[in-house]
Amino acid sequence: MSARQEAREVSKTLGFSMFNQSRIITLISELARNIFKYAGKGYIVIEIIKNQNGCLGLKIQAIDCGPGIMDVNQALRQGYSTSGSLGAGLPAVKRMADEFSIQTGKGKGTCVNITKWLN
């Protein structure tokens, strides 16, 4: 099963609205595209989580062993691209996620963690 299909099924089961189901699938699509485009291979992990208040959410982790992101601040700037694209992907992921973090380093790959909470 693809990450997109798994996310659709899990988010629907948890009770995410159709809008947020689509948003979650868009987030995963963008993260997968970045793995393919910049690292060549990697994987996505989807996990159901619960916060201290009992609120359920989805934690999505995109991990690759690519070259890493040289300048994270630049990469998160709308319109910045090292590949000639529109430079909208990673900034959109950050904007659409409820929580966002990124760990990367030159030659160390990249790990993007996002969370979408069921509101």
Side-chain angles (χ1 to χ4, degrees):
M1 176 182 305
S2 77
R4 284 172 46 108
Q5 291 170 320
E6 183 179 344
R8 181 183 305 277
E9 289 181 20
V10 172
S11 62
K12 184 177 180 181
T13 300
L14 286 177
F16 279 93
S17 68
M18 288 296 291
F19 176 79
N20 280 321
Q21 288 176 44
S22 295
R23 197 165 248 198
I24 289 165
I25 292 163
T26 299
L27 288 164
I28 287 176
S29 295
E30 185 57 39
L31 292 170
R33 187 187 68 76
N34 283 353
I35 289 171
F36 178 76
K37 188 172 191 175
Y38 296 105
K41 61 182 178 176
Y43 56 96
I44 294 177
V45 178
I46 301 167
E47 178 184 2
I48 298 170
I49 58 173
K50 188 185 288 190
N51 68 12
Q52 300 112 319
N53 299 326
C55 184
L56 293 173
L58 280 183
K59 179 180 178 182
I60 301 163
Q61 193 172 46
I63 302 164
D64 69 57
C65 294
I69 299 172
M70 300 308 119
D71 187 337
V72 174
N73 289 328
Q74 279 284 82
L76 291 172
R77 201 181 87 230
Q78 187 72 30
Y80 176 79
S81 174
T82 59
S83 66
S85 69
L86 295 175
L90 207 49
V93 168
K94 184 177 180 185
R95 206 172 36 255
M96 286 191 289
D98 294 328
E99 296 175 14
F100 175 93
S101 69
I102 188 167
Q103 294 83 41
T104 188
K106 185 176 180 181
K108 296 184 180 181
T110 301
C111 178
V112 177
N113 293 290
I114 60 172
T115 303
K116 194 73 181 149
W117 292 105
L118 182 61
N119 298 344

